[in-house]
Amino acid sequence: MRNLYKLIGLFCLVGVMNSCEDYLDKPQDSNLTINEVFKNFDSSQGFVEEMYAMIVDYSLAFYANYPYYGEDSVGVETWIFDYSSDEGRYWDWQGNTFNYFSGGTNTSSGIPFDRSSLWPSSWAGIRKANIVIANAEDLMVDANEQEIDAILGQAYFFRAFFHHEIMKFWGPMPYIDRVLEDDWRIERPSEWAETALKIDEDFDKAIALLPEDWDDASWGPGVQTAGTNLFRITKGAALALKGKNLLFAASPLMQGSNDTYGYNEELCKLAADAFAELIKIPRYRLQGWEDYEDVFYDPSGLYPDSTEYVFGQAGSVGWFGGYLADSWQLGALNGANGINSPTHNYIHNYFGMKDGLSCDASPIYDPNDPWVNRDPRFYKWVVVDGDQLIDNLGAATGEDEVNRYAEFYDGGAHRHPGKSNGTRTGYVGKKWYPQGYNKYDNQSVFSWRLHVRLTDVYLMYAEAAVMGYGIDGKPAGFNLSALDAINAIRERAVPDGSLNVSAVNLTSPNVFMDEIRRERAVELSWENHRWMDIRRWKVGTDMKYRLKTGIRFDRNSSGKPINLVEEVIRTKVFDEKHYWLPLPQNDTELYPGYPQNPGW
């Protein structure tokens, strides 16, 4: 009988994925047989648990937090992949550049580099899922039907999920639905939808087998861990990823279209239907405005208990808890040397005005006083010049008194390059930490990045519904249209409806799609969706999505900004080939039928 570690050691696709070879160097001295591994629910779940650890946390590129590969932020010019992606050096994903694709190392730092990396971990997860699916039902002799369903439901979810994760960045891949031995030379499909539809079938199996809530008293497998089941895969998580997989398959890039509105209507309808089923589940509801911070962080270090939580990565909490916040917090306050700064072009293009219109379309936008009358979410998530930076003003005295309020003007205390660890753009993001998270107030914070939260579901639903059913159309038996979904998000910030979508943005589905995309940029700002969105919408080569700008200005005697000038900090390199990452070259040379991505 094969032992357990041999099963685990053969994580990666034999031959094809030889870049995973480091993961094959595992001890093989365990005496557990496959029958013992799957004999009951407890031991089977122990095997399944390792797949949870293979979910990549996009907020953490090991110890460096620079996973913002779109035009939404700008960081330092250094060896991390954030800078490599700006320069178009996508081969660097395989190097020691602290990214979430292959990871990085720093053995001298004493930091435990045990984070999962997308390329090797996803292939490993697929193999583990296939081992479970091939054996669980027959070998779980000491388990009841509900326990077997729990094991298989998770395995089907993970097999689908890990394929989806790989395809997001490397394009169409063969669907591996068995434990590969000598039959690993599988041709790579040319169409995204070919594999996406197989992914969809697995998500359907997971939906049928998994509960809405593992803490439900009638759901036996969750009883032993009641109260600690938040991160377990549920029916809602499977519905969310089913819809996301279908929406991506319907998107212009995956359809091979050069039209940014070139969606597949039928796939959009299927995606909207899946999102609708999720939204109907009572446990999910949009977080209220007064408690919205609960979605992003918790000073107590507890797991997120937001009603928006759908699916995420458990490892975001704990040792790495404050690192996501550190990547935004001013170095002048928390000691970090290199922070990410929100770009001016992103904030100007997407964070609009309190009348619900974009800055360029709104009559109340004043370019000489650009931070007044803005959408309330602008003030909730962005620090601008003059904003209070700390709670306890009395704690910053003497030379530190300058740190009480933001000085982002030229020559200000918190402005790069005069302050090397200050803002490079005239803005700082505060989505991931409370005002008290600084060296004066000394408040701790545990921040997390969710793979899917309910706001994202509403936004994906709106995108799919408008292209599948039209502006006011909706799936059968569902009472929310694409327009209703966007307005529901905006109305929690401004309940009187004055922020709602204006009639000028409802003249056609394509015009409304532009507004949905602007809304997505605001609500999901700096949550690591942007780079994927730009690519799947097939807009990456447009200069609008390549520029990274800042705003330079002085202050007048009243503290108002004057002499405002937008400056280009960086222009991203993005050609047609940059829609997909290059595959490891050795893998593409092993056999015909597994070609390199175009341009690489």
Side-chain angles (χ1 to χ4, degrees):
M1 299 294 287
R2 292 167 294 174
N3 63 54
L4 174 59
Y5 271 100
K6 190 170 183 181
L7 292 175
I8 297 174
L10 290 173
F11 275 144
C12 307
L13 294 181
V14 182
V16 182
M17 302 311 159
N18 64 349
S19 59
C20 302
E21 62 188 2
D22 290 345
Y23 286 76
L24 301 180
D25 297 327
K26 303 291 182 182
Q28 298 191 10
D29 54 0
S30 170
N31 293 320
L32 285 176
T33 66
I34 196 167
N35 297 74
E36 291 171 318
V37 170
F38 291 108
K39 67 181 179 181
N40 58 32
F41 174 75
D42 288 348
S43 59
S44 298
Q45 186 61 33
F47 191 82
V48 168
E49 288 294 327
E50 292 192 4
M51 286 185 277
Y52 284 88
M54 293 171 180
I55 303 171
V56 168
D57 181 353
Y58 290 119
S59 69
L60 297 164
F62 292 79
Y63 80 76
N65 286 274
Y66 301 93
Y68 309 98
Y69 305 147
E71 93 286 26
D72 45 348
S73 73
V74 64
V76 296
E77 291 86 356
T78 184
W79 35 261
I80 53 180
F81 189 74
D82 184 61
Y83 184 52
S84 295
S85 69
D86 281 352
E87 293 202 318
R89 293 186 281 109
Y90 281 14
W91 282 111
D92 285 0
W93 76 263
Q94 296 179 92
N96 182 18
T97 50
F98 294 92
N99 60 75
Y100 48 68
F101 303 115
S102 65
T105 57
N106 186 350
T107 55
S108 64
S109 70
I111 295 173
F113 290 106
D114 56 358
R115 312 300 294 181
S116 293
S117 302
L118 199 144
W119 180 258
S121 297
S122 295
W123 289 117
I126 290 168
R127 184 170 181 87
K128 279 189 71 74
N130 278 324
I131 290 171
V132 174
I133 292 166
N135 294 285
E137 192 164 15
D138 291 336
L139 299 183
M140 288 179 68
V141 293
D142 294 330
N144 60 41
E145 185 176 351
Q146 198 175 60
E147 290 172 334
I148 295 172
D149 285 351
I151 296 299
L152 288 174
Q154 293 170 93
Y156 282 120
F157 174 91
F158 278 122
R159 185 167 73 180
F161 171 73
F162 287 128
H163 278 95
H164 174 73
E165 285 285 272
I166 293 168
M167 285 173 52
K168 280 163 46 178
F169 302 106
W170 287 277
M173 288 288 162
Y175 200 67
I176 312 302
D177 59 0
R178 61 190 183 276
V179 181
L180 297 182
E181 299 294 346
D182 297 323
D183 54 346
W184 49 267
R185 294 173 180 82
I186 304 172
E187 286 196 14
R188 209 181 152 201
S190 59
E191 300 294 327
W192 174 286
E194 180 179 329
T195 300
L197 292 175
K198 295 176 181 177
I199 290 174
D200 186 60
E201 291 177 4
D202 270 356
F203 279 134
D204 279 341
K205 293 173 184 175
I207 291 165
L209 294 169
L210 292 170
E212 292 182 4
D213 189 341
W214 279 68
D215 280 347
D216 186 339
S218 67
W219 178 250
V223 171
Q224 323 177 38
T225 53
T228 60
N229 288 319
L230 176 65
F231 291 99
R232 305 252 179 235
I233 302 302
T234 62
K235 189 184 299 293
L239 280 166
L241 268 298
K242 172 184 170 69
K244 187 173 185 177
N245 170 61
L246 290 167
L247 175 60
F248 280 24
S251 295
L253 175 63
M254 291 70 172
Q255 288 293 309
S257 174
N258 289 319
D259 176 7
T260 186
Y261 310 107
Y263 288 79
N264 181 292
E265 181 179 329
E266 291 306 311
L267 289 175
C268 280
K269 287 180 179 178
L270 292 173
D273 294 350
F275 293 132
E277 290 304 309
L278 169 58
I279 294 170
K280 291 177 187 177
I281 297 176
R283 68 173 289 188
Y284 304 113
R285 62 183 185 278
L286 292 175
Q287 194 80 355
W289 188 243
E290 65 282 356
D291 299 317
Y292 205 8
E293 284 77 8
D294 293 347
V295 174
F296 306 109
Y297 59 78
D298 181 1
S300 73
L302 300 175
Y303 290 139
D305 58 359
S306 164
T307 56
E308 285 208 22
Y309 176 81
V310 179
F311 171 60
Q313 215 278 351
S316 297
V317 183
W319 190 87
F320 287 91
Y323 271 55
L324 178 52
D326 279 341
S327 74
W328 293 103
Q329 173 66 285
L330 275 169
L333 300 186
N334 259 19
N337 291 319
I339 66 165
N340 290 285
S341 300
T343 55
H344 173 70
N345 52 293
Y346 188 83
I347 287 175
H348 176 83
N349 289 339
Y350 305 111
F351 280 84
M353 306 301 292
K354 67 180 183 180
D355 59 4
L357 295 171
S358 67
C359 292
D360 290 337
S362 174
I364 61 174
Y365 176 71
D366 181 356
N368 295 312
D369 200 358
W371 305 315
V372 299
N373 297 321
R374 299 295 288 266
D375 181 327
R377 295 169 293 182
F378 172 80
Y379 304 109
K380 202 171 192 70
W381 296 329
V382 180
V383 183
V384 297
D385 185 61
D387 282 355
Q388 185 171 330
L389 293 177
I390 63 177
D391 287 332
N392 184 5
L393 296 176
T397 59
E399 292 183 357
D400 281 359
E401 190 171 326
V402 295
N403 290 330
R404 294 177 176 181
Y405 297 92
E407 295 186 3
F408 295 165
Y409 57 90
D410 272 352
H414 310 119
R415 185 67 195 231
H416 181 86
K419 190 70 173 180
S420 62
N421 55 5
T423 174
R424 300 166 67 83
T425 62
Y427 304 94
V428 168
K430 59 178 178 178
K431 199 171 195 178
W432 303 106
Y433 60 92
Q435 187 167 277
Y437 180 63
N438 59 73
K439 65 183 181 181
Y440 306 105
D441 298 309
N442 201 29
Q443 182 176 345
S444 63
V445 67
F446 290 80
S447 49
W448 39 72
R449 181 75 49 71
L450 307 181
H451 274 256
V452 182
R453 63 183 178 94
L454 193 59
T455 297
D456 186 13
V457 172
Y458 270 65
L459 289 162
M460 290 190 290
Y461 168 76
E463 184 178 343
V466 74
M467 286 308 190
Y469 292 104
I471 294 174
D472 294 312
K474 59 196 76 168
F478 193 55
N479 61 359
L480 197 75
S481 68
L483 177 59
D484 294 332
I486 300 302
N487 286 340
I489 293 170
R490 294 187 177 188
E491 284 169 5
R492 65 175 163 191
V494 184
D496 67 8
S498 58
L499 193 65
N500 285 6
V501 179
S502 170
V504 300
N505 291 315
L506 298 172
T507 55
S508 73
N510 288 1
V511 171
F512 183 39
M513 176 61 80
D514 289 340
E515 188 69 354
I516 292 172
R517 290 176 177 177
R518 185 173 76 85
E519 182 65 20
R520 187 169 175 84
V522 173
E523 273 289 336
L524 299 181
S525 52
W526 310 298
E527 294 185 40
N528 215 300
H529 297 280
R530 186 63 182 171
W531 190 52
M532 188 66 221
D533 286 344
I534 287 171
R535 290 167 45 242
R536 69 184 178 86
W537 294 334
K538 201 68 186 297
V539 296
T541 57
D542 190 319
M543 187 59 72
K544 177 181 178 179
Y545 305 96
R546 295 172 55 203
L547 286 178
K548 294 189 174 189
T549 72
I551 190 79
R552 291 279 176 187
F553 57 94
D554 301 311
R555 277 185 183 175
N556 64 18
S557 57
S558 301
K560 288 286 189 179
I562 57 172
N563 305 325
L564 293 96
V565 177
E566 184 177 9
E567 65 171 357
V568 176
I569 297 174
R570 196 177 299 161
T571 302
K572 288 178 65 65
V573 174
F574 197 102
D575 301 317
E576 282 294 318
K577 70 178 183 178
H578 292 110
Y579 282 110
W580 301 116
L581 291 176
L583 294 160
Q585 191 62 34
N586 288 345
D587 292 351
T588 64
E589 295 172 354
L590 286 170
Y591 64 94
Y594 192 79
Q596 181 59 271
N597 280 326
W600 297 105

